[in-house]
Amino acid sequence: MKVVVFKNKRKASKFISEIICEEIINNPNLVLCLATGRTMKPVYRQFIKKIYKEKINLNKIHTFNLDEYIGLKQNSREKFRYFMDKNFFNKVKLKNSQISFLNPYASNLKKECDRYENEINKFGGIDLTILGIGRDGHIGFNEPGSGRKSRTRVVKLNKLTRKDNKIFFHSFRKVPKEALTMGIDTIMHSKKIILIAFGRNKNEAVQKAINGKISDEISASFLQNHKDVTIVLDSFAARKLD
Ligand code: F6R
């Protein structure tokens, strides 16, 4: 795995947006897999700046998102779809037809997960996946115990993950207990992966993901076996690395 450390998240986010833009220039039909969350906010900010500055043409790209909560109201502002509309899709005027999202309102969630997997395959697989990491080492919402062969499915969220996401919901009680997520195997099929971590509270998970043993206790450790992973960190998240 290639590990790149920056002084701060702004510099790191600039670097990440350069990679994504380069990938789009090289392949205008790029299929992207995207994450939400605090880490992604500065990344989308820099990415959008670069898109406008360099006049990057997004007309042919397609995006999939990693995950979505189950149990929120259709119009909830805490939905990942709302986050993406607000922080990225609307700002770059991506068309609805360019966006794929897991539908937590489907009457049969198992079928919905299979539909998502089939849709990814229909697009020829994912070219570039952008991941954050949870304090428990999760990628997507693959909490500890998620198997290497796991695919898109319904998952239960950890107490720690729910606690960390409380900030978006104002009360712990309101944080959903379940979500839909792409699986580890789904993520591992992406041709290229960038994993991002900012801040001191991620340094233990980062250290275990990069230097620890590959195990389902730290989902991100499975990435050690992927052939094209770049880990982008700020100095705080890198603090426990040798
Ligand atoms: C979100 C996702 C999660 C987050 C992770 C880090 O779509 O897939 O894996 O990337 O929980 O979240 P933040 O960036 O809020 O610390």
Side-chain angles (χ1 to χ4, degrees), residues 1 136-137 146 204-225:
M1 292 194 287
D136 60 3
S146 299
E204 212 166 304
V206 164
Q207 192 273 333
K208 286 180 182 159
I210 298 174
N211 295 329
K213 112 171 178 287
I214 300 172
S215 107
D216 66 8
E217 280 166 40
I218 298 286
S219 296
S221 67
F222 288 119
L223 298 175
Q224 291 177 30
N225 281 335

Side-chain angles (χ1 to χ4, degrees), residues 35-39 66-67 80 132-134 138-141 165 202:
T36 61
R38 279 153 288 209
T39 312
L66 279 165
D67 38 21
F80 285 164
I133 181 170
H138 71 229
I139 49 176
F141 268 146
N165 286 313
K202 297 286 174 74

Side-chain angles (χ1 to χ4, degrees), residues 24 35 50 81 95 99 115 136 176 181 194 200 222 237:
I24 298 173
K50 196 152 177 70
R81 179 56 201 258
K95 291 193 287 289
I99 301 166
R115 180 200 66 77
D136 60 3
T181 185
I194 300 176
R200 209 174 43 160
F222 288 119

